[in-house]
Amino acid sequence: MPQRNKMRTALPGGSGGSTAPPSFTRLRTALTVFFALDGFLFAGWVVRIPAIKHRTGATASTLGLALLGVSAGAVITMMLTGALCRRYGSHAVTVVCGVLLSLSIALPARTGSALTLGLVLLVFGAAYGGMNVAMNSAAVDLVGAMRRPVMPSFHAAFSFGGMAGAGLGGLVASRLSPGSHLLALTGVGLLVTAVTGPALLRSGTPAAAPAQEPGVAAGERQPHRMSPHTRRVVALFGVIALCTAYGEGALAEWGALHLSQDLRADPGLAAAGYSLFALTMAIGRLSGTALLERFGQTRTLVAGGATAAVGMLFGALAPTVWLTLLGFAVAGLGLANIFPVAVGRAGALAGPDGVAAASTLGYGGMLLGPPVIGFLADWRSLPAALTTVTLLAATAAVLGFAARNAGTPERFE
């Protein structure tokens, strides 16, 4: 029997009846640490890309092809991880992927060509994609058991972990070689996994009663066999995740260039653009639980998409650096909670498979953003290309409203 179902009778409303609800503090803390570790390790790799490009002698185009290894590995693994979570439990898969991610992050700095770099990045991407699906699946189970919308707090931990990883990478870039830096990150990752993993493995996998599909009794739902209706709804939430991830990818790759090239900002100020975006996104996610409890999921999705659309309109078209930075900050606040809510709703409907499907679509948006922006920038201009972030954020708001009655409770009570 899949591990995710083992504790169902011990929860309020489960078939076992009156058992007192367990304390989820330890489990929530352990999951928060793994989300932060995921962001920390990924950001640590990203900041060393320029140095590894120089080491391998890759051109811009060959480096771009090599970096597709991360994407390919992640996307392939994401869909497989849902089945692994059902079979072995999302907690165990999270811990295993934490070990693999920690080990694989040291590999890119050991390569000597773009080809070998691309091959090892397949492994790194596979571990990264698997960990994202597994820990999000575990978080969805915990959210359902707690009956509180705490999903954004986990994604806030990811954002803060990424900021810490990028900041540390910037500090040590001139002092440590990429090989030494990434090997040190392997040590950090293995240590954190060794300390936190046992707490995750000892915690039973909580699962609240799943959201009922139309025409299907709660006890009859088969989460591993999605009905056509459920599949369509999960795809809808995946597209919502794609719309917001598109903006994250676009700002990560093109925000600094827009500030320096179009607005003549100095390098330090240009680099601060994405940092400000990431900071406001993290702050927005910290407040996400309170927003969801007060306003519900639909209002949070719609308001977030509309806010991000307005912010990016300023970020793309404002004539001054400071107005552009303000636009980036507002966009970060708006986008903050859309992805975690969309993935959480997909997981509530279809378990790990729902998380895998929505995450894969969402991750595809992050991959799609940078090349689309580059193509449009060559065709028209970079500011015009960045307005596509506004368009997709507005689309997320519209789809969020359209999904208002899609199978999960509007509020957690």
Side-chain angles (χ1 to χ4, degrees), residues 7-18:
M7 288 184 63
R8 195 175 302 280
T9 58
L11 295 170
S15 58
S18 61

Side-chain angles (χ1 to χ4, degrees), residues 259 263 269 276 318-327:
L259 287 165
L263 299 173
L269 196 56
L276 181 61
T320 67
V321 170
W322 296 108
L323 280 177
T324 298
L325 290 174
L326 176 63

Side-chain angles (χ1 to χ4, degrees), residues 147-337:
R147 302 303 300 157
R148 289 192 66 215
V150 298
M151 194 72 168
S153 68
F154 296 119
H155 288 260
F158 175 88
S159 297
F160 281 116
M163 291 174 62
L168 178 64
L171 288 175
V172 305
S174 61
R175 298 176 178 86
L176 292 178
S177 67
S180 299
H181 176 206
L182 297 185
L183 186 60
L185 293 186
T186 291
V188 171
L190 291 176
L191 177 62
V192 171
T193 302
V195 171
T196 310
L200 197 60
L201 293 173
R202 284 195 299 266
S203 301
T205 305
Q212 185 172 331
E213 296 177 26
V216 181
E220 297 172 355
R221 182 177 177 270
Q222 301 296 324
H224 61 288
R225 297 188 63 176
M226 286 188 277
S227 69
H229 169 78
T230 301
R231 198 172 287 114
R232 287 193 295 271
V233 175
V234 167
L236 175 62
F237 287 122
V239 173
I240 292 173
L242 182 151
C243 290
T244 180
Y246 177 96
E248 290 187 55
L251 278 169
E253 299 289 339
W254 296 102
L257 185 62
H258 171 53
L259 287 165
S260 60
Q261 171 185 287
D262 300 316
L263 299 173
R264 301 292 186 266
D266 63 73
L269 196 56
Y274 180 72
S275 298
L276 181 61
F277 169 79
L279 176 62
T280 57
M281 177 172 280
I283 292 171
R285 285 173 170 171
L286 282 179
S287 63
T289 297
L291 289 173
L292 287 166
E293 288 180 326
R294 180 166 184 178
F295 300 110
Q297 295 173 341
T298 295
R299 290 179 183 176
T300 301
L301 284 176
V302 173
T307 301
V310 172
M312 267 313 298
L313 198 60
F314 271 91
L317 303 179
T320 67
V321 170
W322 296 108
L323 280 177
T324 298
L325 290 174
L326 176 63
F328 284 2
V330 172
L333 285 173
L335 292 176
N337 294 304

Side-chain angles (χ1 to χ4, degrees), residues 24-39 85 89-95 98 130-146 150-159 161 192-193 195-201 203-206:
F24 298 119
T25 302
R26 180 180 298 176
L27 175 55
R28 185 177 178 182
T29 300
L31 279 175
T32 300
V33 171
F34 272 101
F35 271 85
L37 178 65
D38 189 51
C85 289
S90 54
H91 294 182
V93 177
T94 298
V95 173
M131 186 167 175
N132 272 269
V133 170
M135 66 186 185
N136 272 291
S137 295
V140 166
D141 286 339
L142 182 57
V143 168
M146 292 178 68
V150 298
M151 194 72 168
S153 68
F154 296 119
H155 288 260
F158 175 88
S159 297
V192 171
T193 302
V195 171
T196 310
L200 197 60
L201 293 173
S203 301
T205 305

